[in-house]
Amino acid sequence: MPRLAVFVDDGGVMNDNKLRHHEWVRLVGEFFPPRLGGSASDWSMANSKLVAGLWDRLLADQARKGLVDTYHAWSRRYQLDWLAAMAGEVGVPLPEDEEEALAIAIAAAEYVTSRCRSGFADAPAAVRRLAASGHALHTASGEESRELHGYLTGMGLRDYFGHLFGPDLVNAFKAGPVYYGRAFAYAGLEAGACVVVDDSPEALAWAAEAGAHTVLVDRDGTRRSRFAGYAIASLEELPALVEELEATRP
């Protein structure tokens, strides 16, 4: 029988979101001036100014569960709006061709994610130990697969992961059990053979509803009161816990 497969969230689990925000601000300032004009500081300021509102919009859209099967169209519009909003702040024109503008937005994300250095120090060793023990590893993130590819490549961990889920791979927001059910099916796995690792009690509730084992990463000890399952304070604890779950399989 194959060993348990481990689906790992990225932001808050493998990467520090606070540090990553500063990296995005800096790297956006590097990417855009040679391509669209404006100064590095203006692009960085525009990204920093707009990110909170864009994040709020993302969360609101995720909450609309009816967007299942329409993620791809939503993502296209979101990326174009992100680029247009920043260009408006900086005061530079965008290409009139929408496909050209979209290509620039995608290239910017690839540039930033591959150069971003915001990984938690405990992630690499935990990932390598799990892989060495024979566990298949996949991501289970609200970030798109190409962004996850960039982050993991920058961390030197891409080769340890199989599928990078990514709502784009399953055409559904990470906003309910449908996301997880589709990810498990895409990977060719029964839910009971999967362990989902996340820092969100809500996301883990959806994963459990889909039938998976769940592990909460609670680095600051503020989330355990909202979660009844397994909880760890560091990824250092994850390999041993997965082995415990393996030992209890029927």
Side-chain angles (χ1 to χ4, degrees), residues 33-221:
R35 294 162 177 84
L36 294 178
S39 70
S41 61
D42 284 346
W43 279 103
S44 292
M45 187 177 300
N47 180 260
S48 183
K49 177 180 179 180
L50 294 167
V51 68
L54 289 168
W55 182 249
D56 288 343
R57 172 184 159 185
L58 172 61
L59 294 178
D61 286 341
Q62 282 180 333
R64 295 165 55 203
K65 304 288 178 35
L67 286 175
V68 168
D69 292 329
T70 62
Y71 178 82
H72 294 141
W74 176 92
S75 175
R76 176 188 177 90
R77 189 74 260 154
Y78 185 86
Q79 291 177 80
L80 288 168
D81 288 351
W82 170 68
L83 179 58
M86 286 195 299
E89 286 287 328
V90 176
V92 297
L94 291 178
E96 291 185 5
D97 180 51
E98 194 171 84
E99 295 302 323
E100 186 178 350
L102 182 63
I104 292 172
I106 291 172
E110 291 174 345
Y111 179 93
V112 171
T113 57
S114 63
R115 292 163 176 77
C116 191
R117 297 297 179 264
S118 57
F120 285 112
D122 56 6
V127 165
R128 294 185 178 112
R129 283 178 59 193
L130 287 164
S133 298
H135 297 284
L137 291 165
H138 309 287
T139 59
S141 171
E143 300 146 20
E144 294 194 2
S145 57
R146 59 175 162 254
E147 296 174 355
L148 294 163
H149 174 83
Y151 291 132
L152 291 170
T153 299
M155 296 171 74
L157 299 178
R158 176 62 186 93
D159 290 345
Y160 294 98
F161 286 83
H163 301 298
L164 303 182
F165 305 103
D168 56 306
L169 290 197
V170 296
N171 199 20
F173 278 114
K174 183 181 171 181
V178 169
Y179 167 90
Y180 290 100
R182 289 185 177 184
F184 303 151
Y186 189 110
L189 296 165
E190 296 292 331
C194 302
V195 180
V196 176
V197 184
D198 208 296
D199 64 323
S200 166
E202 291 78 14
L204 292 174
W206 299 325
E209 186 176 344
H213 304 278
T214 56
V215 178
L216 176 71
V217 179
D218 187 16
R219 293 183 179 277
D220 58 10

